[in-house]
Amino acid sequence: MQLPAEAVAATALIEVVRISALPVEQGAPYPGRAVAHWAETEAADALTLIEDLPGSAQHRCGFSPGWSIRAYEDSLDQALFEAAFCFGCHEVRMHGRAVPPAMTTQFFDVDTPPAQALLALFRAATS
């Protein structure tokens, strides 16, 4: 999967969100509860795992994401990007000031080890 390289390099903190609904307007943050904050090695490892997600064909489920990550630089004021993951339709939707239009919608293979490891990280964040 592609992530905006400059944003990845600038990321100091990742906020993990358990999504409770879809945003009301395009580009707004996904509503939900922040369940974890990853910094330093945890953040870098998570971003590497996401970049290692292999591509997939689109599957139809209506896009019902369960998790998102918000990447912040040191200032922590505005997210560099947010990526919402739907493990039902294999889709990731990204938005934010660092996301070029070509990266806003991507698909990943949910049955691969990187995807299963990412899902395990998300689930562990809620326990």
Side-chain angles (χ1 to χ4, degrees):
M1 186 180 138
Q2 291 183 313
L3 292 174
E6 289 180 16
V8 168
T11 297
L13 178 83
I14 291 177
E15 180 175 55
V16 180
V17 176
R18 183 67 168 127
I19 297 174
S20 59
L22 292 177
V24 180
E25 59 186 53
Q26 186 175 3
Y30 282 82
R33 180 174 57 94
V35 295
H37 292 93
W38 298 332
E40 300 173 357
T41 304
E42 280 183 311
D45 290 349
L47 291 170
T48 298
L49 191 59
I50 292 166
E51 289 178 317
D52 287 345
L53 293 173
S56 174
Q58 182 177 9
H59 293 73
R60 295 282 181 193
C61 86
F63 191 69
S64 182
W67 306 94
S68 77
I69 61 161
R70 295 180 187 140
Y72 294 90
E73 57 192 343
D74 286 329
S75 66
L76 303 177
D77 60 350
Q78 181 184 11
L80 295 164
F81 67 91
E82 180 174 21
F85 296 82
C86 179
F87 284 80
C89 65
H90 304 214
E91 187 172 342
V92 177
R93 291 186 187 173
M94 280 195 296
H95 65 267
R97 59 187 170 111
V99 180
M103 289 186 191
T104 59
T105 301
Q106 298 180 53
F107 301 94
F108 67 105
D109 188 340
V110 301
D111 296 319
T112 61
Q116 290 301 303
L118 181 62
L119 183 57
L121 284 177
F122 288 155
R123 288 178 174 161
T126 59
S127 54

